[in-house]
Amino acid sequence: MQRMGNGLEPVRAALSNAVGRAAALVASIDAPSRTASCLTWSLGETAAHMVVGLRAYTDAARGTSDHWQEHVADTAVFSERLAGMTASSLDAVPERDPATLARLLGEAAEEYLAASAGLSPDQRLDTPWYGDGTSLRLVEATALLLGEQLIHGRDMATTLGRPWPISRAEALMVTVAARAMLPNAVHPDASRDVDLTYAVHLRGGDGFTVRVVRGTATVEPPGSRRADCHLWFDPVAFLLVGYGRISPWAAIARGQALAYGRRPWLGTRFKKLFVNP
């Protein structure tokens, strides 16, 4: 069983590798205005968004993220704030030429890895785009950036008809970010009258407990309390379901997910309690 703990170096290495793959894919795009799979953005905009994320977290690692505030929507609603940030911040990378974007992506990754080198995995980085006063630990931020490269790389590869494998080890690394983000991403309407506990089990990795109570969510260690529903996932399926790239039913049909326990019918409800990242 793979246990992540505070292991930052494997995540940094995986991020570097994923960016290399993504940059090569971006450089091969022949129609950057074509709409990317699963998105409303073009392929060029998707690549630009990937650059933006790396640059924003580079500034967060340097303690200079204040200038990104101009792209943050004036709302406390997580989904609206994040959507406003992603839409507005595309202006920060106006280039849409694939060769230029591929170069910028590689440079942005190098700058992030340099800016964060030597910092503690538990060093907190300010993330005002998620909410006032919010932050992520460095290991969580790095895992989140890895997830962005893997998911948006898949979006572009699907559009281009190219293979884009995601390994179980990579997906398990991204779950470090998922655990940190779930409390922020709880859906206020869908969870308003809820009092549920889910036990999440990941093939080959550590699980965790998610408690959702009246519009709030907390993530706790596995076995911390009795679960209403147990969810078993292949880690790659967990990643794809979490990002809204496949449905829970598709994962179940492929034998990559299973719900069981006292109230197994609550399994497909889990995803609806959180907004897409």
Side-chain angles (χ1 to χ4, degrees):
M1 179 176 290
Q2 181 168 337
R3 300 185 182 277
M4 289 303 303
N6 285 338
L8 178 58
E9 289 310 311
V11 188
R12 285 170 58 86
L15 174 61
S16 179
N17 178 266
V19 169
R21 291 171 56 203
L25 186 65
V26 171
S28 74
I29 294 173
D30 58 0
S33 61
R34 183 178 176 186
T35 302
S37 175
C38 298
L39 300 172
T40 58
W41 295 330
S42 68
L43 289 171
E45 289 171 331
T46 303
H49 169 72
M50 295 161 75
V51 174
V52 165
L54 287 161
R55 287 182 176 177
Y57 278 98
T58 297
D59 288 335
R62 292 171 175 163
T64 58
S65 61
D66 289 349
H67 69 96
W68 291 98
Q69 193 69 43
E70 66 183 272
H71 299 292
V72 177
D74 185 18
T75 174
V77 179
F78 173 80
S79 58
E80 296 175 1
R81 194 176 182 104
L82 185 56
M85 170 69 178
T86 55
S88 173
S89 62
L90 284 177
D91 294 339
V93 182
E95 294 84 357
R96 296 295 179 265
D97 172 66
T100 302
L101 286 167
R103 174 177 57 80
L104 293 177
L105 188 59
E107 291 174 353
E110 290 177 2
E111 290 177 8
Y112 172 76
L113 292 171
S116 58
L119 298 180
S120 166
D122 293 322
Q123 173 74 39
R124 301 207 72 89
L125 308 187
D126 291 334
T127 56
W129 40 87
Y130 297 137
D132 293 335
T134 63
S135 65
L136 289 176
R137 295 188 300 133
L138 177 61
V139 67
E140 295 162 348
T142 307
L144 184 146
L145 289 172
L146 171 60
E148 288 286 294
Q149 297 296 315
L150 294 174
I151 290 297
H152 291 314
R154 181 182 183 273
D155 294 336
M156 294 189 295
T158 299
T159 307
L160 297 169
R162 312 277 179 79
W164 186 261
I166 298 174
S167 72
R168 184 183 303 164
E170 289 172 324
L172 284 171
M173 291 177 191
V174 180
T175 63
V176 173
R179 298 177 203 190
M181 291 301 297
L182 282 173
N184 292 323
V186 65
H187 196 298
D189 293 330
S191 62
R192 180 177 294 127
D193 299 319
V194 166
D195 186 348
L196 295 172
T197 298
Y198 289 89
V200 179
H201 309 271
L202 298 169
R203 182 179 181 186
D206 291 337
F208 53 97
T209 299
V210 182
R211 181 155 170 75
V212 183
V213 181
R214 291 180 288 279
T216 65
T218 56
V219 177
E220 304 172 2
S224 57
R225 62 179 71 238
R226 188 182 185 190
D228 296 294
C229 179
H230 290 258
L231 300 174
W232 176 91
F233 275 98
D234 174 86
V236 177
F238 181 77
L239 179 64
L240 297 178
V241 170
Y243 273 90
R245 288 339 189 243
I246 64 173
S247 71
W249 288 112
I252 292 170
R254 297 171 186 173
Q256 298 170 335
L258 177 68
Y260 61 97
R262 293 191 299 153
R263 303 166 70 185
W265 58 88
L266 294 173
T268 55
R269 188 177 181 182
F270 180 76
K271 171 59 181 168
K272 298 176 183 177
L273 298 175
F274 302 92
V275 299
N276 281 337

